[in-house]
Amino acid sequence: MVVKTELKNFIDVEEIQNHLENTKEPEPKKIEAIVQRSLDKNRLEPEEVATLLNASSYEAKELIFEGAKELKQRIYGNRIVLFAPLYIGNKCINDCVYCGFRSSNREVLRKTLSMNDLETEAKALVSRGHKRLILVYGEHPLYNADFIAATVRKVYSVKEGNGEIRRVNINAAPLEVDDYKKVKEAGIGTYQIFQETYHPETYKKMHPRGPKSDFLYRLYGLDRAMEAGIDDVGIGALFGLYDWKFEVMGLLYHTIHLEERFGVGPHTISFPRIEPAIGTPITEQPPYQVSDEDFKHLVAVIRLAVPYTGLILTAREPIEIRREVLKLGVSQIDAGSNIGVGAYSTEDKEAYRKSQFSLGDTRPLDVVIRELAEDGYVPSFCTACYRLGRTGEHFMEFAIPGFVKRFCQPNAILTFFEYLNDYASSETREAGLERIREEISSIDKPEIKETLLKYCERLENGERDLY
Ligand code: SAM
Ligand code: SF4
């Protein structure tokens, strides 16, 4: 039996509002000093983050954008990790007012993948070159821990051509500690739970029915995951439900809470904006719609606020915004995504009716990879840290001088090279090889260069999965 103890709400609404109230119209000098603290690898304090959020002059905002770019370049370099979402089932007993899967929505077609469907979907993704997936589930008794663990195992078992899925992350409802243990045993990477809004009153309105209406149970969802031994957890807020500045502060408070309790903050932070969803009127005009300008501002502030954390930008956003926001410190994006349940492997004309919302960037993986290469990034499918038992890889990149140059950059290049050999169109291959040549020639340590070239040769001779 599960005994529920009283949980303390660590989101102090009044304190957050005071921070935001007391830091209005900051001087550029003040911003400069805060950005410098972040570049010196410090996680920022609430008052500092409120100050950055309140920057309103062109000059002050430019300092923040430039700081975020500099931090990304200095600590993480130009790698972008790629993944795809795989929706397992859209049944749901909650009624989140912004979501196409909400229980009272009669327009959505409900579907849950069978194990055979799942295998076919995973094969379709592997055959396009994916190595990292996030499995996504509605909240429903069918999607319990045993089911989630079985779907994870199924995905890992799929082999297609030269490829396989090497890291499976999860976005699902919060669980109890023993249930998280079952899911962990199946070998998951990150467990993601978005709080949606950190503002309790708004939370109540947005989640009128079902288990998700319990704000605190969800707020402590990732505490339980960490108690169960899942080291990599992902937090997020759904932007558009409440004031964006408040939500960024909420993400920061959540980070600080995890740091204080477990000695380490979240592995990733996500910042989805509300997208239109079928049969879901609130999504046509979200109550606190975030403009593109404010969106860029908030991503740059999150980058500076928590320098050790991976930032995820999804294909909800349109192509041009993705391109711009990428520069501000994003480390992972999804590409070639399709969020209709079962839609990777079938030409389903009704796929949109099985989708949670609509996507802004529906380009195939190959096209996204080509654009990344042309823009000077190294697309990466690397999963080395996680498979070597090094969880919290962003933390290593951040904390250990030289880690990125010695491990991350060469591994990113190897997985990119693998992709180009096995899956790329001729145009993408050409752009990608050119990018790899540039990247290798910029490596200043001869021993790293030599090892990397040897590994590339082994890949060319047919070996795979080298790191
Ligand atoms: N059902 C689980 C839950 O709610 O935690 C799993 C995740 S749900 C399928 C994935 C995420 O999609 C939600 O946490 C929410 O932030 C986001 N989402 C829901 N409706 C959305 C919409 N209309 N536009 C953009 N994102 C949305
Ligand atoms: Fe269900 Fe998750 Fe959608 Fe809420 S956000 S209705 S819990 S799928």
Side-chain angles (χ1 to χ4, degrees):
M1 200 188 77
V2 180
V3 181
K4 290 206 172 159
T5 46
E6 203 49 48
L7 301 173
K8 181 178 175 288
N9 184 4
F10 52 81
I11 303 296
D12 187 333
V13 174
E14 208 181 305
E15 192 179 279
I16 292 180
Q17 278 162 350
N18 284 339
H19 280 309
L20 288 170
E21 206 45 52
N22 297 336
T23 52
K24 293 249 163 89
E25 305 285 332
E27 292 289 316
K29 258 214 162 79
K30 199 159 189 187
I31 304 270
E32 228 168 325
I34 297 170
V35 169
Q36 191 51 50
R37 272 217 347 116
S38 172
L39 290 173
D40 291 338
K41 295 187 169 186
N42 297 295
R43 197 258 302 129
L44 299 179
E45 295 301 330
E47 195 199 337
E48 295 172 309
V49 174
T51 308
L52 296 184
L53 289 169
N54 274 325
S56 54
S57 69
Y58 176 81
E59 190 189 353
K61 282 204 213 170
E62 278 305 299
L63 286 170
I64 292 173
F65 291 140
E66 288 312 312
K69 285 181 199 165
E70 167 87 23
L71 184 117
K72 176 185 155 68
Q73 214 44 46
R74 251 200 230 178
I75 299 185
Y76 299 105
N78 50 7
R79 294 160 300 128
I80 298 288
V81 169
L82 289 148
F83 70 95
L86 172 50
Y87 276 67
I88 306 294
N90 63 9
K91 293 191 175 171
C92 195
I93 53 172
N94 291 312
D95 209 9
C96 315
V97 297
Y98 47 80
C99 176
F101 295 168
R102 68 202 161 80
S103 55
S104 60
N105 190 2
R106 299 281 164 254
E107 288 182 49
V108 78
L109 295 177
R110 305 286 167 177
K111 178 165 168 76
T112 303
L113 298 181
S114 67
M115 286 296 158
N116 276 345
D117 295 339
L118 175 56
E119 186 173 345
T120 316
E121 285 283 284
K123 278 190 175 168
L125 283 159
V126 171
S127 69
R128 287 169 210 180
H130 283 289
K131 298 283 185 279
R132 303 170 65 114
L133 298 185
I134 181 152
L135 307 189
V136 188
Y137 312 73
E139 179 161 359
H140 194 276
L142 273 179
Y143 312 148
N144 57 26
D146 292 314
F147 176 79
I148 294 177
T151 53
V152 172
R153 289 201 171 92
K154 178 52 111 184
V155 169
Y156 279 132
S157 73
V158 166
K159 186 93 190 133
E160 179 76 354
N162 274 337
E164 67 282 306
I165 297 299
R166 298 176 186 164
R167 178 167 173 134
V168 177
N169 299 328
I170 299 288
N171 187 327
L175 303 174
E176 290 294 335
V177 175
D178 285 343
D179 286 335
Y180 281 119
K181 285 183 183 161
K182 290 184 191 171
V183 176
K184 178 183 157 65
E185 251 168 53
I188 63 158
T190 312
Y191 201 104
Q192 275 187 1
I193 300 174
F194 303 158
Q195 188 61 25
E196 319 297 9
T197 172
Y198 285 93
H199 188 253
E201 255 176 62
T202 306
Y203 188 92
K204 219 186 264 172
K205 286 190 224 147
M206 298 297 158
H207 306 97
R209 277 171 289 280
K212 193 164 165 181
S213 56
D214 187 339
F215 178 85
L216 282 181
Y217 185 75
R218 192 168 179 90
L219 192 61
Y220 277 82
L222 292 171
D223 285 59
R224 294 190 298 281
M226 293 188 93
E227 281 167 41
I230 296 175
D231 298 317
D232 287 352
V233 298
I235 64 173
L238 181 58
F239 282 88
L241 300 177
Y242 190 61
D243 175 34
W244 61 272
K245 294 184 185 177
F246 185 93
E247 303 295 14
V248 173
M249 294 298 282
L251 289 166
L252 180 72
Y253 274 55
H254 200 165
T255 298
I256 294 173
H257 166 80
L258 294 173
E259 280 180 10
E260 284 174 351
R261 234 195 118 193
F262 300 99
V264 54
H267 181 60
T268 54
I269 298 182
S270 303
F271 29 79
R273 280 194 290 187
I274 295 185
E275 293 298 320
I278 184 171
T280 307
I282 193 184
T283 60
E284 280 155 31
Q285 187 61 55
Y288 286 82
Q289 192 149 34
V290 179
S291 69
D292 292 346
E293 191 54 31
D294 289 343
F295 186 63
K296 279 189 264 167
H297 186 172
L298 77 86
V299 177
V301 172
I302 297 173
R303 174 65 298 151
L304 292 167
V306 194
Y308 61 77
T309 298
L311 298 191
I312 301 180
L313 176 71
T314 70
R316 289 175 179 85
E317 296 299 333
I319 299 170
E320 320 77 66
I321 297 290
R322 295 242 280 179
R323 221 171 168 179
E324 278 193 55
V325 171
L326 217 49
K327 298 179 203 149
L328 300 173
V330 167
S331 45
Q332 296 189 28
I333 60 169
D334 58 332
S337 301
N338 194 328
I339 59 173
V341 181
Y344 286 114
S345 53
T346 53
E347 280 293 318
D348 185 353
K349 292 210 170 61
E350 295 272 58
Y352 80 100
R353 290 194 62 199
K354 296 177 188 143
S355 299
Q356 190 185 15
F357 47 81
S358 51
L359 292 179
D361 182 356
T362 53
R363 295 171 301 164
L365 177 63
D366 186 75
V367 174
V368 174
I369 292 217
R370 182 160 71 239
E371 186 183 288
L372 287 173
E374 285 167 353
D375 286 351
Y377 295 101
V378 179
S380 169
F381 294 90
C382 182
T383 52
C385 274
Y386 149 73
R387 285 154 81 224
L388 290 168
R390 290 194 299 242
T391 46
E393 79 238 42
H394 297 302
F395 198 75
M396 308 249 181
E397 296 168 12
F398 167 81
I400 302 173
F403 191 89
V404 169
K405 282 200 172 153
R406 272 189 61 209
F407 298 106
C408 309
Q409 193 193 18
N411 282 334
I413 293 172
L414 289 174
T415 57
F416 183 29
F417 190 57
E418 222 181 28
Y419 175 87
L420 295 175
N421 280 328
D422 290 342
Y423 307 102
S425 64
S426 55
E427 221 180 327
T428 299
R429 193 176 142 78
E430 205 175 302
L433 290 177
E434 177 58 30
R435 188 71 269 283
I436 288 181
R437 276 192 284 274
E438 281 167 16
E439 199 65 24
I440 293 182
S441 68
S442 75
I443 296 175
D444 50 16
K445 294 246 180 319
E447 68 279 9
I448 296 179
K449 205 185 262 191
E450 215 173 287
T451 315
L452 185 57
L453 288 171
K454 266 192 209 139
Y455 273 53
C456 283
E457 207 177 303
R458 284 171 60 188
L459 287 175
E460 255 179 331
N461 292 333
E463 281 187 71
R464 288 291 172 269
D465 200 13
L466 303 175
Y467 52 89

